């Protein structure tokens, strides 16, 4: 992922991202205006005395005016759900989830078209994880392209549209979530896990022949089970009436 905004350069071959050549310094400077990266544990990169100064650091380096910097910072904080936060507060007084969202806002303030997140929920408590997931879903709705790396199949199933699987540096498959997890042999061959919700629903397959277990959220699983139960009950009622 560090190739995608030129933090790593190719030693051989060519990498082009959004039309820019990652091997060219002038292209990389432009590329970084379009592709932002949030490393694992980004709260460890917070450094400024105030939330505003931390979020404003990137836009200032882009040479934006004070007014543009402020507008970008406020918009970025709103996007991560921190629009009402005290800008003069120290970022180090925040919860883990809030600190991480401030760090993400610092990247968003530079208005990238693509945001790369490396294990975005790593090390967070359940509340912090939900805050980050809500932020990611909000950014998707805003039209930001999200690329995130995770070893959690549950997180990928909940958030991703498509999954790209690498093994020993080689692309194994890139496909929609349901397609990936429907191929159980492929999942097991690549040392992955079927998401927990899908495993749970699959336990009812013998009882409900019409059940489609390709669901990845608790609400969707409940809806699918209710529909399958009703369909089975209706089928049994029809059969009894025929007899």
């Amino acid at each position: 992922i560090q190739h995608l905004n030129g933090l790593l350069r190719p030693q051989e071959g060519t990498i082009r991202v959004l039309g820019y050549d990652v091997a060219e310094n002038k292209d990389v400077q432009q590329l970084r205006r379009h592709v932002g990266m949030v490393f694992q544990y980004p709260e460890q990169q917070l450094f400024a005395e105030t939330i505003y100064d931390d979020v404003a650091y990137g836009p200032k380096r882009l040479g934006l005016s004070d007014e543009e910097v402020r507008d970008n910072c406020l918009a970025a904080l709103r996007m991560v759900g921190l629009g009402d936060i005290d800008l003069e507060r120290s970022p180090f007084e925040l919860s883990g989830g809030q600190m991480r969202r401030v760090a993400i806002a610092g990247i968003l303030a530079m208005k990238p078209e693509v945001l790369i997140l490396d294990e975005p929920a790593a090390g967070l408590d359940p509340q912090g994880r939900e805050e980050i997931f809500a932020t990611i879903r909000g950014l998707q709705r805003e039209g930001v392209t999200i690329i995130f790396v995770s070893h959690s199949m549950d997180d990928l199933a909940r958030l991703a549209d498509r999954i790209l699987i690498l093994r020993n540096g080689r692309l194994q498959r890139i496909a929609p979530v349901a397609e990936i997890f429907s191929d159980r042999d492929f999942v097991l061959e690549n040392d992955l896990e079927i998401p927990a919700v899908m495993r749970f629903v699959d336990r009812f397959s013998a009882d409900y022949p019409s059940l489609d277990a390709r669901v990845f959220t608790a609400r969707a699983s409940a809806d699918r089970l209710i529909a399958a139960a009703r369909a089975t009950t209706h089928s049994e009622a029809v059969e009894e009436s025929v007899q």
Side-chain angles (χ1 to χ4, degrees):
I1 59 175
Q2 292 184 49
H3 284 295
L4 297 181
N5 72 344
L7 291 174
L8 286 179
R9 308 296 181 90
Q11 294 178 312
E12 59 183 65
T14 301
I15 298 175
R16 300 188 70 86
V17 181
L18 300 178
Y20 296 101
D21 187 340
V22 175
E24 297 288 338
N25 287 335
K26 60 181 178 61
D27 276 14
V28 166
Q29 290 188 359
Q30 292 299 316
L31 176 61
R32 288 176 182 167
R33 293 174 177 263
H34 301 280
V35 180
M37 182 174 295
V38 180
F39 290 101
Q40 194 172 5
Y41 305 111
E43 61 273 17
Q44 296 178 0
Q45 298 169 313
L46 298 175
F47 66 94
E49 293 184 3
T50 70
I51 292 170
Y52 181 79
D53 288 340
D54 220 306
V55 177
Y57 178 76
K60 286 180 178 178
R61 294 200 64 185
L62 292 178
L64 303 181
S65 68
D66 290 344
E67 183 178 356
E68 289 175 315
V69 169
R70 186 171 183 82
D71 288 346
N72 284 16
C73 290
L74 294 178
L77 287 165
R78 284 195 297 271
M79 290 175 74
V80 299
L82 295 174
D84 297 328
I85 201 163
D86 180 1
L87 299 178
E88 296 305 312
R89 188 177 176 186
S90 168
F92 303 104
E93 296 175 356
L94 305 176
S95 69
Q98 288 175 321
M99 291 174 70
R100 193 161 297 186
R101 285 189 284 161
V102 167
I104 293 174
I107 303 298
L108 292 175
M110 293 184 282
K111 294 192 171 181
E113 299 166 31
V114 180
L115 181 66
I116 304 169
L117 301 164
D118 185 5
E119 296 281 3
L124 293 178
D125 60 24
Q127 179 179 341
R129 291 173 63 84
E130 288 306 314
E131 290 174 355
I132 289 299
F133 293 155
T135 296
I136 292 173
R137 286 190 288 266
L139 294 175
Q140 288 176 308
R141 289 192 293 271
E142 293 281 342
V144 179
T145 296
I146 306 289
I147 298 174
F148 75 99
V149 177
S150 178
H151 291 89
S152 169
M153 298 302 102
D154 293 327
D155 293 350
L156 290 171
R158 289 176 62 189
L159 296 169
D161 299 308
R162 293 188 297 164
I163 298 178
L164 183 154
I165 295 173
L166 294 173
R167 185 185 180 106
N168 298 323
R170 299 284 182 179
L171 173 65
Q172 301 303 303
R173 185 181 293 184
I174 179 169
V177 173
E179 181 180 324
I180 292 289
F181 292 121
S182 295
D183 189 343
R184 292 175 181 271
D185 290 338
F186 172 80
V187 170
L188 296 176
E189 286 168 4
N190 284 277
D191 300 321
L192 306 175
E193 287 187 346
I194 300 295
V197 171
M198 190 173 173
R199 294 200 307 271
F200 170 76
V201 174
D202 194 45
R203 293 179 183 177
F204 296 89
S205 295
D207 299 315
Y208 304 124
S210 65
L211 180 63
D212 183 351
R214 292 176 298 176
V215 290
F216 309 109
T217 67
R219 180 178 294 276
S221 67
D223 291 343
R224 194 66 59 82
L225 284 168
I226 291 169
R230 286 175 174 167
T232 301
T233 302
H234 176 72
S235 175
E236 291 172 350
V238 170
E239 185 176 339
E240 288 178 5
S241 67
V242 170
Q243 291 174 352

